[in-house]
Amino acid sequence: MLLPRPASRPLDLNGLPAASRLEARAALAITAVATAWFALAAAWEMFGPILAGHYASSAGVGIIAENMLRWKIAGPVWEYTASQPPPAMYYCHHPWGIFWTTAAFMKVFGRHDVICRLPAVLLSAATPPLLHAIGRSVYRPAAGAAAAASFVVLPITLSFANLNALEVPVMAWTLLGLWGYVRLTQTSRRRYLAVSALGLALGMNADWPAFVLTGGLLVFGAIRAYLLPKRVFGPVHARRYAQWWVLTAFIAALTVALYVALFHQAGKLGDLLASYGFRSSGNAEPLSKVLASRRYWIELSFTPVAIAAGKLAAIVCAARLVLLRREHDALPLLYLATATVQYVVFRQGADIHIFWPHYFGAYFALAGAALVETAAALLERAAAARRAPDDAARPALPALPAWPALAALALWLAPLAAVLRDGLPALRYARETGGRFNERGHLIDSDGAKTAFLRWLAPRLPAGAPVEMHEGMKATWAQVWALGGRVVTPARPAPKQEPPRGAYLVDTRFMLDRDQASLARRFDITAVGPFWALGAAVDPQAAVDPQAAVDPRARGIEAFSFREREPGLLAWYLVSGTEPEREVAPDPFLTWELRTHFGQPAEPPAGAPETLEEKRIAHNIALAGGDGARAAALLAEISAALAPLGARFDDGTELLGTTFHEGARSLLTIFVRAGGPAASDVALSVRSRVVERAPLSTTMADPLYRDVGLPPAISPQRWRAGFLYADPVPIRKRPGTEVFWASLRARDRGRAPALVDRGGASEVEVLRLR
C-alpha cells in the first residue's frame, strides 16, 4: 500500500484531501457551469461549412481521413488523388494520431463537415472536468473549480476550442495522463497507472509537445523517487512507481521508434528535420525583441490580467515545490516548461500562428488551482491564529471549514471575470477571421461566399471531373473539401486555347483585367457573383436545370448572384453565426452588367428592379440606353437610401454614399459613380485602424492599419463614365473603436487620384464602429 505523505488536511476514504460538503458542492457547480459554457462555445457553428484561415486545417484533417478510408492507407495525404497515393506523399511533420481519430469518426458517421470538428469539440468539453479532477486531487475542490474556470475564460482557449488540429487533443490527453499520475501516487492503484499511461500515449500520438511534457515528468519522477532522499517528497510505493516509470518510458520510446520507422519508410525523415529547422528559425533575435513584436497577439490571446496572474503563479508554484516539498506542485511548472519550449524554440511557427501559445492555457488553469490553494491555506492559518487559546476572552469564530476555500475561490473568480470580458469578443473575432485575428494587417476574407459557390457548383459537375483553380482563388483545404472529394489542382494559369477537361475556377477580384477579358472572349462562363466557372464540364444551362441538354452554341456569360438572409437562432448557433445564409439564383441584371462590360450582346432584364443592387444596375442600363430621365430618377432613389459621403476625386470618380448592414456578417457597401476607366494601377481601397480600446478591456488596442476592402469584381480599369458601382466590404470588427477609410490607391507607386476640396487628404472616413 502507498505510504501517505503528511498533508495539511486529512484525507478521505479515496485518498483525496478532505473538504466540507459546502465546498465540494460549490466547486462541482462552478465546474459544471464552466464545462457547459466551454462545450457550448466549442460547439458553436460545428455543423457549418469550414471556411478560410487557420480553421481550414480542420478540413485538411478531413481530407486526410477520407483518403485513409478511400485508399485504405495508414499515412496522411493532404490532397485528393485519382489513384492510390504512394508513401512519398505522406505528411510527416507531426504524429498521425489526430488523423487516425478523425478517420475513425468518419468511418462511423460518414463524410460531413461536423466530423472535421467533432473530435476537438468532444475533447474540449472533457478538458474542464479533467482540470477539476487534477486540482481536486492535488489540492482541494475549490482549487479544482478554479482550474476549470481559469481554462474556459481565456481568449485563446475559447477561440480554438473546435480546432481539430494539435493543441486541443494534446492538452486533453496529457491532462488525463497527469490526473492518472496524481491518483497513482495517492493510491498506488493499478487502474490509475493504466489511465496515466493511456493519456500520455494518446497525447504523444497527437503532437510532439506531449513528448516534452512526458519527458519532463519522467525526469522529475526519476529524481523524485530514486535520487532525492525520501524525506524530501515523502515515501512512495516503490514497485508501483517503478512500474509507472518504466511503462511510460517504454511507451515514449516505442512511439518515437514507430514514427521514425514510418517516416523513414516514406523517405520523409529529412523533410521532418528541415521543417523543424525552419520552424525554429529566427532564434538569433533577442527574446525580448521577439516578444515585443508579438505583444498584441499575446495580450489578445491571454489578456494582461491572465499574463500577470500566470507570472505570479510560476513564482508561487516554485516556492511551494521548494518550501512545502509537495511533488504535485511540479505539474504546473512542467506544463509551463512545455508551453515555453513550443513558443520560444519554434519562433518562426509562433510568428505566423497566433494559436502557437495555446499550451499556456493548460498551465494557467493548473496555476490557478495552485493560487487558490495557497490563498485558502493562508486564510485558514489566519483564522486559526485568531482562534488561538490565549484569546479566550473573544468569542470563538463559528466553525466554517469551507469559508477560507470559498473566499479564495471568489477572489480568483473576480480577475477571471475581467479575462472573460475580453474572451467573449475574441471568440467572435476568431470565428469571423478563421482564427487569424488581425493577420498582421493583411487582407482577410472568410471565403464564405466562395464556399457557397463551390458547394453549389460541385453537384452540377460530372462525377470524377477534375477541378483547376486560378491562383486568385487562393485555394485552401476548406475549398478542396467543399468540392466533395474531387481532384483539385490549385494555382493553375488561365487556359490559352482549349477549355480544361474538367472545370476551371476564377475569383475575378484577384485576376488581372486583361486575363478576365481573354476568358470572356474565348469561353462560355458561369458567373456566381465574382466567381467564374468555365470548362468542358461546366454548362450554364445545367446550372439552372441539371437535366437540360448542352447547347453547343456560344452563350457568353451567364450570371447568378447570392441571395443572402440572416440565419435564425438555431442556424446561428449550429451552422453559422458569422456568415449569412446564402442561396444562388439566376440574376439577369448581373448578366447584363457583365456582358456589357466585356463586350458581349446583352438584353436588359424584363422585370422591374427591386433591390438596391438591381436599381444600381438598372440605372446603368438606363444610362447606356440614353434614358437620362430614368437614370436620374433611379439615382435619386438610390441616393436617398445611402448615408451620403459626397467625396469626389480629381479623376471625376465620386463616392456617393454607403449602406451598412449589421448582422451575422456585417457588410459595408460603398456606392461609386465612375468618372471613367481608372488608370491601370489604381484600385478602390478600404482600410481600418482601431483608435481606442474597448470599454473595461485590459487588452491594448490593435496598433495596425489593416486592409479590409476586397477588390471590385469589375476592375476600375473597365468602369464607364457615369455608371454606378457598388463595393461590398465585409466588416469583421476588431475589439475597440475602429475607423474605416476609403480611397483610390495606386498599387505600383503611380499617382493616386486625390480627393477634391479635402485639404489634400487622400482618403475619406466611411464608417466608425464602437
Side-chain angles (χ1 to χ4, degrees):
M1 180 178 178
L2 179 69
L3 297 175
R5 168 102 171 103
S8 59
R9 65 183 65 84
L11 303 180
D12 63 19
L13 295 178
N14 295 314
L16 295 173
S20 71
R21 181 176 299 179
L22 177 60
E23 179 187 347
R25 287 181 174 178
L28 282 176
I30 292 173
T31 301
V33 171
T35 302
W37 153 244
F38 202 62
L40 288 171
W44 183 29
E45 301 183 317
M46 66 183 296
F47 291 95
I50 302 172
L51 304 181
H54 295 309
Y55 293 165
S57 62
S58 294
V61 176
I63 293 171
I64 286 174
E66 189 172 9
N67 278 330
M68 286 179 169
L69 298 177
R70 177 183 296 179
W71 302 113
K72 295 180 173 55
I73 56 177
V77 176
W78 283 117
E79 58 191 86
Y80 293 113
T81 57
S83 58
Q84 180 161 334
M89 294 184 68
Y90 291 173
Y91 177 71
C92 297
H93 290 182
H94 299 277
W96 295 351
I98 61 170
F99 310 128
W100 292 334
T101 301
T102 307
F105 273 79
M106 192 175 293
K107 179 68 174 178
V108 174
F109 298 107
R111 186 190 194 276
H112 306 285
D113 292 322
V114 68
I115 297 304
C116 297
R117 300 185 178 102
L118 187 57
V121 171
L122 295 176
L123 289 172
S124 288
T127 300
L130 284 170
L131 286 165
H132 170 266
I134 294 173
R136 168 71 175 92
S137 300
V138 173
Y139 303 119
R140 62 198 311 155
S150 300
F151 189 78
V152 304
V153 299
L154 290 174
I156 193 169
T157 56
L158 287 169
S159 298
F160 296 99
N162 72 342
L163 181 60
N164 188 24
L166 306 171
E167 289 77 11
V168 168
V170 167
M171 286 189 291
W173 293 128
T174 55
L175 289 172
L176 176 65
L178 291 183
W179 175 71
Y181 168 80
V182 169
R183 297 298 289 133
L184 172 71
T185 57
Q186 291 173 335
T187 68
S188 76
R189 294 173 181 168
R190 273 181 289 191
R191 63 171 174 263
Y192 294 120
L193 186 154
V195 169
S196 179
L198 176 64
L200 294 175
L202 291 173
M204 287 185 284
N205 275 278
D207 200 20
W208 307 121
F211 285 90
V212 178
L213 180 65
T214 303
L217 189 61
L218 287 171
V219 170
F220 174 79
I223 295 173
R224 178 254 187 276
Y226 306 118
L227 297 181
L228 293 178
K230 288 183 173 55
R231 66 177 180 274
V232 175
F233 288 115
V236 295
H237 189 293
R239 179 173 178 176
R240 191 74 71 229
Y241 203 88
Q243 288 175 338
W244 170 84
W245 199 97
V246 171
L247 178 60
T248 303
F250 175 75
I251 291 174
L254 184 64
T255 306
V256 169
L258 170 67
Y259 287 110
V260 167
L262 290 173
F263 294 176
H264 174 72
Q265 185 180 19
K268 291 296 188 73
L269 273 180
D271 185 46
L272 172 67
L273 297 176
S275 73
Y276 279 91
F278 177 69
R279 290 293 190 205
S280 62
S281 61
N283 285 336
E285 290 283 349
L287 181 59
S288 59
K289 184 177 179 180
V290 172
L291 295 179
S293 69
R294 301 175 190 161
R295 180 188 169 191
Y296 178 67
W297 274 13
I298 294 172
E299 288 197 10
L300 183 65
S301 298
F302 295 97
T303 79
V305 173
I307 294 169
K311 292 177 179 178
L312 173 64
I315 299 172
V316 170
C317 289
R320 289 180 60 91
L321 184 65
V322 173
L323 300 178
L324 302 182
R325 294 179 296 168
R326 292 178 181 145
E327 63 184 293
H328 299 137
D329 283 316
L331 299 183
L333 297 175
L334 289 173
Y335 231 113
L336 175 62
T338 300
T340 302
V341 168
Q342 166 82 353
Y343 192 61
V344 173
V345 173
F346 300 104
R347 293 190 182 181
Q348 188 276 342
D351 283 337
I352 62 175
H353 298 101
I354 191 172
F355 58 82
W356 213 250
H358 200 169
Y359 295 112
F360 284 105
Y363 157 70
F364 180 72
L366 296 173
L371 287 177
V372 167
E373 162 64 14
T374 303
L378 293 175
L379 290 174
E380 286 176 341
R381 178 170 296 184
R386 292 182 63 186
R387 291 194 298 266
D390 58 350
D391 197 13
R394 298 184 59 181
L397 292 175
L400 294 175
W403 80 261
L406 295 180
L409 179 58
L411 288 173
W412 179 240
L413 292 179
L416 291 188
V419 175
L420 184 60
R421 159 63 187 85
D422 286 326
L424 286 173
L427 171 59
R428 179 172 181 85
Y429 187 23
R431 294 296 174 88
E432 288 180 319
T433 62
R436 290 168 290 186
F437 294 93
N438 68 356
E439 194 73 346
R440 297 198 179 277
H442 298 303
L443 178 66
I444 293 175
D445 186 18
S446 70
D447 276 3
K450 188 180 297 182
T451 301
F453 159 66
L454 295 174
R455 289 174 176 269
W456 172 85
L457 181 66
R460 291 166 170 81
L461 298 177
V467 175
E468 296 178 338
M469 293 185 178
H470 179 260
E471 61 184 356
M473 285 290 288
K474 303 182 184 297
T476 65
W477 290 310
Q479 292 181 35
V480 176
W481 172 263
L483 284 166
R486 299 174 183 276
V487 177
V488 177
T489 306
R492 278 294 179 92
K496 298 299 182 184
Q497 298 296 331
E498 295 298 323
R501 181 171 58 89
Y504 185 79
L505 309 182
V506 169
D507 184 344
T508 57
R509 299 170 300 181
F510 299 99
M511 189 180 201
L512 294 175
D513 177 66
R514 64 172 181 267
D515 292 335
Q516 295 179 40
S518 174
L519 293 180
R521 184 173 60 251
R522 293 182 292 117
F523 303 115
D524 295 329
I525 291 171
T526 300
V528 180
F531 311 110
W532 289 5
L534 58 127
V538 180
D539 174 39
Q541 293 303 318
V544 180
D545 178 7
Q547 304 302 318
V550 176
D551 185 351
R553 297 173 298 174
R555 289 176 296 267
I557 299 175
E558 196 74 30
F560 300 76
S561 62
F562 296 105
R563 300 291 187 259
E564 297 181 349
R565 63 179 180 273
E566 289 298 312
L569 180 61
L570 194 62
W572 179 90
Y573 177 73
L574 292 177
V575 180
S576 179
T578 55
E579 291 287 332
E581 293 181 344
R582 295 181 175 92
E583 63 175 307
V584 177
D587 190 338
F589 287 90
L590 183 58
T591 298
W592 178 91
E593 181 169 62
L594 291 176
R595 289 185 176 186
T596 297
H597 280 80
F598 286 98
Q600 297 178 0
E603 290 292 330
E610 297 180 0
T611 66
L612 202 60
E613 176 68 3
E614 290 177 349
K615 292 175 182 178
R616 177 190 69 80
I617 298 176
H619 165 274
N620 296 344
I621 293 172
L623 202 63
D627 190 346
R630 171 68 171 160
L634 286 167
L635 177 60
E637 191 174 344
I638 293 169
S639 298
L642 305 180
L645 292 175
R648 183 167 59 88
F649 295 87
D650 59 11
D651 69 345
T653 301
E654 296 179 69
L655 302 184
L656 294 179
T658 64
T659 62
F660 179 64
H661 171 76
E662 190 170 8
R665 185 273 346 257
S666 296
L667 186 70
L668 170 71
T669 305
I670 303 173
F671 283 76
V672 181
R673 180 158 60 183
S680 61
D681 62 345
V682 170
L684 183 63
S685 171
V686 182
R687 63 177 188 155
S688 73
R689 187 182 184 188
V690 178
V691 297
E692 184 180 0
R693 72 181 182 185
L696 303 180
S697 172
T698 61
T699 300
M700 66 180 291
D702 188 346
L704 296 179
Y705 281 96
R706 191 181 77 180
D707 288 323
V708 297
L710 296 164
I714 297 177
S715 169
Q717 286 75 56
R718 197 167 287 275
W719 286 357
R720 298 191 177 189
F723 273 31
L724 300 183
Y725 298 92
D727 182 25
V729 183
I731 300 298
R732 299 174 178 92
K733 182 183 175 298
R734 291 177 279 181
T737 300
E738 189 170 13
V739 181
F740 300 79
W741 295 275
S743 64
L744 292 177
R745 296 173 63 184
R747 289 177 287 193
D748 299 321
R749 298 185 180 181
R751 178 187 176 277
L755 284 164
V756 178
D757 299 327
R758 291 270 175 162
S762 61
E763 54 189 5
V764 59
E765 182 178 319
V766 292
L767 184 65
R768 182 180 290 258
L769 294 175
R770 291 179 173 82

